[in-house]
Amino acid sequence: MSIQVFGLPVSRGVAIGRAVLLASSRFDVTHHFIDPADVGHEVARLRQARDEVSAELMALKREVPEEAHAELVALLDVHLMMLHDPMLTDAIVNWIIQRHYNAEWAVASQLEVLSRQFDDMGDEYLRERKADVEQVAERLIKVLVRHRKGLTAPDAVVSSAGRDQSSEEPLVLVANDIAPADMLQFKRSLFTGFVTDVGGRTSHTAIVARSMDIPAVVGAREASRLVRQDDWVVIDGDAGILIVNPPPMVLEEYRFRQQQSELERARLKRLRNTPSVTLDGQAVELLANIELPSDAPAVLEAGAVGVGLFRSEFLFMNRGGHLPDEQEQYEAYRAVVTTLNGLPVTIRTVDVGADKPLDRLSVQELRHEHSLNPALGLRAIRWSLSEPDMFLQQLRAILRAAAHGRVRVLIPMVAHLQEAQQVLALIERARSSLVADGLAFGPVELGVMIEIPAAVLILPSLLRHFDFISIGTNDLIQYALAIDRADEAVSHLYDPWHPAVLRLIAQAIEQANAMGRGVSVCGEMAGDPAFTELLLAMGLRSFSMHPAQIGAIKQRILRADARALGAALPAVLEADNPQEVGGALLRSGAGRVLRAGLA
């Protein structure tokens, strides 16, 4: 039976493939693909774990007191029988061999299949046996995790280039939620799209989905419960719809849309070497957002003129609690700088907290993790300043990388002038320590992210200490409207068209331009064609986005008249409903016929 599940569209396009269910959060398991050459090793790990669990159960049987109830021994016998039942063990081996899942993921996947089968049973006694299967699976997973301690999952991730994709069915990931660290593992895998039960349009999971340039839907509520392993599914990333087991006619329609989307991407790629200039001759800088050094070649491929946001926190994630030291960070930053070959690279200092936690937690962070509202707690620059030794390491690494090219340092979530002064003092301390150590370093431009309304209101004071600003619209909207952007329960209130949001952005751009400071937008609005003309009208001449979005934004810029747009801006900012009236005003401009961008 075909069903439709509605959610929030966060990454455009169409994905068609077999559903892969991420194990539920009841067990703490890692999820990654193994190399085909390691299948035998992973199967051996599973069998070793099975033998250990079997030995544990046998030992428990021997230790059962004679006066204990006979049902206890019978229960252990049931668990032993399940452990060696081909329906469990052989099926887990198949997940490893056919899908190249790591053993823990394979166990959890088969448990999901069996759990659904037990739930569908009419006999109450048989339904209750589901708990026994869960207990056996939990024992297996615990042994597997114990054996894997000390290994890091990213080492085992397989890129799509590492497997013969022609022999594989396309895969679509379905989960209750996906942590940013897990998204990082899946970034180079074979998934053509994903769906989650929770999340909002600008949750970090959604942002990484766009960085992967694959269709995605979040906030789909019951998707992970309604979809079964290996169901054929369609993700409509434009409408925010998941279609499970689509009828043939619907499937063909979406395959046609996939082809059209690929043709449109090919057309946009032809703009790669076209200068980004408006109809009235205004040059516009198009920069790229990246997460890892391996993303740098895509920046050049897309025709970007630099990196406007290097999210350095992804170097700190998914490492089993071991943070990168100065040398490792230096090599990562240097790799990006040298790949860009003279183009600017803007490195944001580590921005953790809220929806981007680290594996290693200090006492302070443990309090933060359990705080009522992590988005308002110890995160971003607040966390860095609370860990001065770690922060000093990162600043030293960035300064050393600046010896190889043009580097800009971006400080996230500044709200107080005192924070800016502390950062400047630490940068001077980092420079002095590098001189003392005899290590080469280069000059850097210093910037601050505008993500909090308070920062907009004190911007003239901040700009006396910094060379540029970058507006992070995702958090600015969140804090201006008091909306948790990762919470699907209030996601309908997250409104980038809110008059207060637009006025804050316009004010920040105007003040930076008036003081002769650089200003860019690196949040999701920069890569959304619906806002291109509006941001141009505000005086923005530097956009930073995922490389895959650059072609579409450049096309809008080439068809826009910046002066005409600027003349129409005041009426838009004064409107009660800017989205409703802004399109017509900006299109009519000064008599120019502009592309319908804001309607």
Side-chain angles (χ1 to χ4, degrees), residues 301-517:
E301 180 63 28
V305 295
V307 171
L309 177 63
F310 180 176
R311 298 183 174 100
S312 68
E313 58 270 15
F314 280 89
L315 298 175
F316 290 69
M317 291 181 177
N318 207 30
R319 301 173 55 91
H322 303 288
L323 300 188
D325 61 17
E326 178 185 321
Q327 185 64 22
E328 183 180 346
Q329 289 186 64
Y330 161 66
E331 290 171 359
Y333 304 144
R334 182 186 62 181
V336 176
V337 172
T338 55
T339 300
L340 269 289
N341 194 26
L343 296 176
V345 177
T346 304
I347 302 172
R348 181 174 68 187
T349 59
V350 61
D351 183 8
V352 297
D355 62 345
K356 292 177 291 180
L358 294 185
D359 299 322
R360 180 184 69 80
L361 295 176
S362 66
V363 173
Q364 283 181 308
E365 291 166 319
L366 282 168
R367 287 201 299 266
H368 157 72
E369 253 334 85
H370 294 93
S371 64
L372 293 177
N373 196 332
L376 301 181
L378 190 68
R379 57 166 300 196
I381 192 58
R382 300 170 182 177
W383 182 80
S384 293
L385 291 174
S386 75
E387 296 273 356
D389 291 340
M390 181 284 304
F391 194 32
L392 194 64
Q393 274 193 347
Q394 181 172 38
L395 292 174
R396 281 171 52 100
I398 295 172
L399 289 170
R400 289 172 61 192
H404 303 278
R406 186 180 171 192
V407 172
R408 301 191 287 201
V409 181
L410 185 59
I411 310 301
M413 204 181 168
V414 171
H416 302 271
L417 196 58
Q418 180 184 6
E419 291 170 333
Q421 292 165 342
Q422 286 179 272
V423 169
L424 294 172
L426 279 167
I427 290 174
E428 283 307 310
R429 183 178 161 192
R431 288 193 179 107
S432 299
S433 65
L434 288 172
V435 170
D437 293 341
L439 294 173
F441 63 94
V444 295
E445 296 176 62
L446 298 179
V448 61
M449 283 198 77
I450 304 302
E451 303 173 276
I452 301 174
V456 179
L457 299 177
I458 64 166
L459 191 53
S461 298
L462 288 174
L463 287 175
R464 286 196 288 270
H465 301 279
F466 292 95
D467 303 305
F468 69 96
I469 65 170
S470 187
I471 303 173
T473 54
N474 308 336
D475 274 334
L476 183 61
I477 297 167
Q478 170 175 250
Y479 294 126
L481 302 182
I483 300 296
D484 184 347
R485 60 191 177 97
D487 185 351
E488 78 281 2
V490 293
S491 61
H492 62 287
L493 298 174
Y494 184 93
D495 181 13
W497 285 102
H498 193 287
V501 170
L502 298 187
R503 291 168 196 170
L504 284 169
I505 295 171
Q507 182 179 337
I509 294 171
E510 181 182 14
Q511 290 180 339
N513 285 336
M515 294 184 68
R517 300 291 194 267

Side-chain angles (χ1 to χ4, degrees), residues 495-499 502 530-531 572 575-584 598-599:
D495 181 13
W497 285 102
H498 193 287
L502 298 187
F531 294 97
V572 178
D576 291 335
N577 190 337
Q579 185 174 13
E580 185 176 301
V581 303
L598 303 179

Side-chain angles (χ1 to χ4, degrees), residues 561-569 582-594:
D561 184 321
R563 290 192 183 92
L565 292 169
L569 180 66
L585 286 168
L586 291 174
R587 286 197 304 274
S588 59
R592 291 279 190 178
V593 179
L594 301 177

Side-chain angles (χ1 to χ4, degrees), residues 97-272:
I97 294 173
Q98 296 175 10
R99 284 288 179 80
H100 299 164
Y101 290 178
N102 65 303
E104 294 91 333
W105 188 5
V107 173
S109 295
Q110 185 58 19
L111 174 61
E112 294 288 341
V113 172
L114 293 175
S115 293
R116 289 173 184 266
Q117 291 176 357
F118 277 105
D119 288 340
D120 291 339
M121 290 178 178
D123 186 282
E124 183 179 353
Y125 174 80
L126 292 176
R127 282 200 306 272
E128 290 176 354
R129 299 286 66 76
K130 181 173 87 167
D132 295 320
V133 178
E134 290 176 342
Q135 291 166 17
V136 170
E138 184 174 9
R139 284 182 176 274
L140 272 173
I141 289 171
K142 282 181 177 177
V143 172
L144 287 165
V145 170
R146 187 166 68 238
H147 287 174
R148 189 177 285 278
K149 269 193 173 179
L151 298 179
T152 54
D155 295 334
V157 176
V158 178
S159 71
S160 57
R163 300 174 72 184
D164 181 7
Q165 195 154 357
S166 63
S167 65
E168 300 283 345
E169 290 179 332
L171 303 178
V172 169
L173 189 62
V174 181
N176 176 258
D177 194 13
I178 309 173
D182 281 336
M183 288 295 296
L184 195 62
Q185 292 184 37
F186 294 134
K187 191 167 183 178
R188 304 299 180 211
S189 69
L190 292 173
F191 293 118
T192 60
F194 81 83
V195 176
T196 62
D197 298 342
V198 301
R201 284 186 175 88
T202 54
S203 62
H204 211 80
T205 301
I207 292 170
V208 177
R210 282 188 286 273
S211 81
M212 293 168 68
D213 195 24
I214 61 173
V217 174
V218 301
R221 303 290 181 151
E222 296 294 313
S224 66
R225 291 176 57 83
L226 295 171
V227 179
R228 295 177 182 270
Q229 198 80 251
D230 273 353
D231 277 348
W232 275 102
V233 296
V234 171
I235 295 176
D236 186 335
D238 299 302
I241 299 174
L242 169 70
I243 305 173
V244 185
N245 294 319
M249 187 177 298
V250 172
L251 195 58
E252 286 306 311
E253 170 65 23
Y254 274 103
R255 282 184 174 144
F256 175 75
R257 283 181 53 183
Q258 262 189 328
Q259 293 171 357
Q260 294 299 107
S261 178
E262 290 169 6
L263 288 173
E264 176 62 19
R265 291 188 185 193
R267 283 193 291 268
L268 291 175
K269 278 185 179 178
R270 291 201 289 267
L271 297 176
R272 176 181 178 274

Side-chain angles (χ1 to χ4, degrees), residues 7-28:
L8 301 171
V10 294
S11 187
R12 296 173 179 173
V14 173
I16 302 170
R18 293 279 191 183
V20 173
L21 290 176
L22 206 60
S24 66
S25 58
R26 59 185 150 186
F27 300 127
D28 182 18

